[in-house]
Amino acid sequence: MYKLLGDLGQYLKWQEVTTDSMVFRLHNHFTTVLLFTCSMVITATQYVGNPISCIVQGLPTHPINTYCWITSTFSMPDAFNRQVGVEVAHPGVANDFGDVDARKYYTYYQWVCFVLFFQAILCYVPQWLWNMWEGGLINALVMGMNHSLDTEDNISQKKSVLMDYLMIHKQTHSMYAYRYFACEVLCLVNIFLQMYLMNRFFDGEFLSYGLRVLQFSDAPQEERIDPMVYVFPRVTKCIFHKYGASGTIQKHDSLCILPLNIVNEKTYIFIWFWFTILSILLLALVVYRAAIIFAPVIRSRLLQVSSRLVPIETCISITKKVGLGDWWLLYVLSSNIDSQIYKEFLQELTKKMSDTQSVTP
């Protein structure tokens, strides 16, 4: 497991040439590694230790543990409001008095590691899709100009090659930009979808989970119900039926301890806060991209902010001469090419486009 977690670290390494935003990488790389790590930790805890220990008299422990793990355990929701040690033995553990419908069953715990693994795969889908669509274009266009440690002749030749490419393929990069924007929208859809599915997975308890944890410390002592214990109970009940010596069905009521839920509750409180923060960042990013698409006036300012050495007049001039796709390509290149080299290149490109337009009848 340690080797596997160590291999995941390569996805968090700094990349010299980037074709996406920081928020995009937080979703595709950090969140994927986070979910994979949580899945591995829970898997190790589940199979190295004992995920469930049930107390039952007169029966062997191991079969009861196995039965209660593969079926389900339950608690009584109304028992969470009772005083522990006086009215109930543990939070949520009480006699149901035959009211089967009042029970709250917990069937998720054996699926948590698999669900986290599936979530990690979903988080990497936008990155995989973008890598396939991008095809290494930016890396090919940068040609090592992200470092200024090169001869002046080589840099001049590389700038000439890049300029020729942009002049020949002018107005052909719209799909490149829109595909990237679509991948960012897909990230937002993925986070919202995962939060919805996790809420279904935990019987409607996940969306409000973090808020209830925050409000728990402010609640009056007599009204406190620990939401982490309610969603991830440490002690539950399990009923096992067997035939007696004369063929009569016997009912065995067992008390089950779930140490794995100690890990689950901490894992999902962190995931709740991270997904909430990430969804806000992605929502802001999508609005920001919409502004770039529908408000061309801000593009020149963004280009100047991305490369501060370039005069605003040059940015305004080049923005008027290119479409959204070409502007986006220049914007991405500005963060991957040395600032001084990019400044000289953009000024030369602007002049060449102006000369081309002036001679065009």
Side-chain angles (χ1 to χ4, degrees):
M1 186 185 74
Y2 293 107
K3 187 178 184 302
L4 178 60
L5 294 180
D7 292 339
L8 289 176
Q10 65 180 338
Y11 293 101
L12 301 178
K13 290 182 179 179
W14 180 260
Q15 300 176 354
E16 290 190 359
V17 177
T18 58
T19 61
D20 46 23
S21 66
M22 180 61 71
V23 177
F24 191 71
R25 290 193 294 274
L26 285 176
H27 174 276
N28 298 330
H29 294 277
F30 179 78
T31 307
T32 299
V33 171
L34 170 66
L35 293 173
F36 267 128
T37 302
C38 291
S39 177
M40 292 300 104
V41 170
I42 291 176
T43 301
T45 306
Q46 178 172 320
Y47 292 105
V48 173
N50 191 3
I52 187 171
S53 297
C54 296
I55 304 171
V56 61
Q57 295 180 349
L59 293 176
T61 304
H62 182 69
I64 301 301
N65 289 342
T66 304
Y67 171 79
C68 294
W69 175 258
I70 64 177
T71 55
S72 62
T73 61
F74 66 91
S75 66
M76 301 298 295
D78 63 330
F80 285 98
N81 296 314
R82 303 176 191 175
Q83 188 176 357
V84 177
V86 178
E87 298 176 282
V88 294
H90 301 278
V93 178
N95 195 333
D96 58 14
F97 298 103
D99 188 3
V100 178
D101 295 333
R103 300 173 183 173
K104 178 178 175 60
Y105 283 90
Y106 301 94
T107 59
Y108 60 80
Y109 40 77
Q110 62 265 53
W111 297 101
V112 168
C113 59
F114 303 106
V115 170
L116 289 171
F117 182 83
F118 180 67
Q119 287 181 254
I121 293 176
L122 287 179
C123 283
Y124 194 73
V125 167
Q127 182 67 57
W128 172 81
L129 195 60
W130 174 237
N131 288 342
M132 183 179 62
W133 281 340
E134 205 274 335
L137 176 62
I138 296 299
N139 189 54
L141 294 179
V142 170
M143 295 178 290
M145 287 189 289
N146 50 337
H147 302 292
S148 58
L149 298 177
D150 201 352
T151 63
E152 189 172 340
D153 291 340
N154 285 341
I155 293 176
S156 178
Q157 184 178 3
K158 291 175 181 178
K159 289 193 295 184
S160 178
V161 172
L162 177 57
M163 195 174 306
D164 290 342
Y165 171 84
L166 291 174
M167 294 299 296
I168 294 173
H169 297 88
K170 186 180 179 182
Q171 305 295 338
T172 62
H173 299 102
S174 296
M175 189 58 65
Y176 180 90
Y178 283 120
R179 282 177 172 175
Y180 173 70
F181 297 158
C183 287
E184 289 187 331
V185 173
L186 182 60
C187 291
L188 180 62
V189 172
N190 175 62
I191 290 297
F192 282 167
L193 179 63
Q194 287 201 26
M195 293 184 73
Y196 169 77
L197 292 178
M198 280 190 288
N199 193 57
R200 293 290 300 270
F201 183 60
F202 291 113
D203 296 327
E205 303 288 348
F206 180 76
L207 289 181
S208 60
Y209 181 49
L211 293 176
R212 284 184 290 159
V213 171
L214 291 176
Q215 296 169 356
F216 172 65
S217 59
D218 297 331
Q221 186 68 35
E222 62 276 6
E223 298 178 8
R224 286 189 176 187
I225 301 177
D226 190 342
M228 289 195 289
V229 175
Y230 183 78
V231 181
F232 302 100
R234 290 90 181 259
V235 181
T236 55
K237 295 181 65 175
C238 178
I239 296 177
F240 181 77
H241 296 89
K242 65 180 288 289
Y243 286 103
S246 62
T248 304
I249 295 179
Q250 297 178 343
K251 176 180 177 182
H252 294 270
D253 193 357
S254 59
L255 200 65
C256 295
I257 302 172
L258 299 170
L260 185 61
N261 271 351
I262 297 294
V263 181
N264 287 335
E265 67 180 24
K266 306 302 188 299
T267 298
Y268 277 97
I269 190 61
F270 185 82
I271 290 176
W272 187 91
F273 280 108
W274 175 244
F275 271 47
T276 301
I277 294 172
L278 190 60
S279 61
I280 294 173
L281 292 175
L282 285 169
L283 187 60
L285 182 64
V286 170
V287 173
Y288 172 59
R289 298 305 185 210
I292 291 177
I293 295 173
F294 299 108
V297 68
I298 70 172
R299 296 176 192 170
S300 56
R301 178 58 63 181
L302 292 175
L303 190 61
Q304 198 269 336
V305 169
S306 180
S307 182
R308 294 185 178 277
L309 294 181
V310 181
I312 185 62
E313 294 78 15
T314 303
C315 296
I316 294 174
S317 178
I318 193 67
T319 301
K320 291 180 179 179
K321 293 178 175 61
V322 298
L324 174 62
D326 296 327
W327 175 89
W328 178 253
L329 200 66
L330 292 172
Y331 180 76
V332 176
L333 288 172
S334 68
S335 59
N336 288 287
I337 297 179
D338 179 77
S339 300
Q340 185 62 39
I341 297 175
Y342 183 77
K343 172 188 174 183
E344 297 170 358
F345 164 75
L346 199 62
Q347 289 176 334
E348 293 173 12
L349 179 64
T350 304
K351 184 176 183 304
K352 187 170 184 178
M353 283 189 173
S354 299
D355 294 342
T356 304
Q357 290 180 358
S358 61
V359 300
T360 302

